[in-house]
Amino acid sequence: MNKNWELTEEQFNRLLEWLDPDRETAAKNYGLIQLRLVRFFAARGCVNAEDLADKSINVVTAKLQGLGTYVGDPALYFLGVARYVYLEHLRDINRPPPPQPPSPDPDPDPNLEICLRRCLVELPPEDQLLVVDYEEGEKQARIQKRRQIADNLGITINALRIKIHRLHQQLRKCMDQCLEELPAH
C-alpha cells in the first residue's frame, strides 16, 4: 500500500457509512476511533502516532469492500489493523541501515593495473575486446551496450553473462597468480 495514500471523498463517505448509517454519529465515531488509534500508538512510544493512526484508517478504508460481512464493533477492527501497522513499524525501525558503499582506495596498488594488462593480453583478442566492452558505460547505457553485444554475438543476454563470468574467473585466477609473483608496494 502506498504510504502517501490519501482518502478520496467517496472513500471517506463509504467509511462513514460503514461506521454508522447516521452521518453525525458516524463522524463522532470516526473522531473517537482516530483518537483511540493515536493513543494506541502513543502508548507504545511511537513519535509519529498520528501518521500511524492515519495509516491504519487508510488500510481499513482500502479493505472496506471486503468487509461487507463484518459484524461487530468497527473500533475493534481498527485496533486489530493498528496492531499489524505497529508490528510493521517496529520491523521498519529495527531494520539495520544499508551498508555504506566502500570508499575508493586513495592509493590503488599499481600492481593491479600491471597484472590486469598482463592477464588481458593472455586472452584471445576477441575475448579481450568482449571483457572491455562489457564493462564500459554506466547504468542504462551499459545495459543497452550489453544487449547489443549479445545480439552481435547471436546469443542471449544470459549466455553472454555466463561467458563473461567464465572470462572473469580466468582473469581472477591469472591476477591472483600475477600479484603473488610481483613485489608488494
Side-chain angles (χ1 to χ4, degrees):
M1 157 157 263
N2 184 353
K3 293 181 182 194
N4 298 324
W5 186 66
E6 301 265 337
L7 291 178
T8 64
E9 185 176 347
E10 178 186 332
Q11 291 165 327
F12 185 70
N13 287 335
R14 196 174 332 133
L15 174 64
L16 291 178
E17 199 174 296
W18 181 66
L19 292 175
D20 198 286
D22 178 51
R23 184 113 173 140
E24 281 188 40
T25 305
K28 182 180 168 187
N29 289 345
Y30 175 84
L32 292 173
I33 288 169
Q34 187 176 33
L35 179 63
R36 195 169 175 185
L37 291 173
V38 169
R39 287 182 180 160
F40 171 85
F41 289 111
R44 285 159 179 76
C46 299
V47 292
N48 56 343
E50 292 87 6
D51 292 340
L52 293 171
D54 288 345
K55 183 175 182 179
S56 300
I57 290 169
N58 289 345
V59 169
V60 171
T61 303
K63 295 181 180 213
L64 269 181
Q65 288 183 340
L67 294 178
T69 59
Y70 179 77
V71 179
D73 183 3
L76 296 177
Y77 188 83
F78 278 95
L79 285 172
V81 169
R83 284 188 189 95
Y84 286 106
V85 169
Y86 175 67
L87 291 174
E88 181 181 315
H89 170 71
L90 286 179
R91 187 185 69 230
D92 289 345
I93 63 173
N94 289 329
R95 184 175 292 141
Q100 293 294 323
S103 58
D105 190 2
D107 274 340
D109 185 356
N111 288 344
L112 285 175
E113 191 170 335
I114 293 168
C115 287
L116 180 58
R117 288 179 191 274
R118 184 185 297 174
C119 292
L120 273 172
V121 170
E122 291 181 15
L123 292 175
E126 64 274 3
D127 287 344
Q128 290 176 28
L129 187 60
L130 179 62
V131 168
V132 172
D133 282 351
Y134 188 84
E135 299 301 334
E136 252 181 10
E138 289 192 30
K139 297 185 182 178
Q140 195 62 35
R142 179 183 267 189
I143 293 169
Q144 294 293 22
K145 176 90 170 178
R146 290 176 178 178
R147 284 187 186 132
Q148 182 183 2
I149 293 169
D151 287 345
N152 290 345
L153 293 173
I155 60 176
T156 67
I157 194 74
N158 280 340
L160 176 63
R161 286 185 188 120
I162 292 168
K163 184 170 181 63
I164 291 295
H165 175 74
R166 289 181 181 145
L167 290 171
H168 280 172
Q169 285 179 319
Q170 276 182 273
L171 285 172
R172 192 171 296 119
K173 184 178 177 183
C174 177
M175 295 226 6
D176 289 344
Q177 188 176 12
C178 177
L179 289 170
E180 285 178 16
E181 294 170 2
L182 292 177
H185 283 262

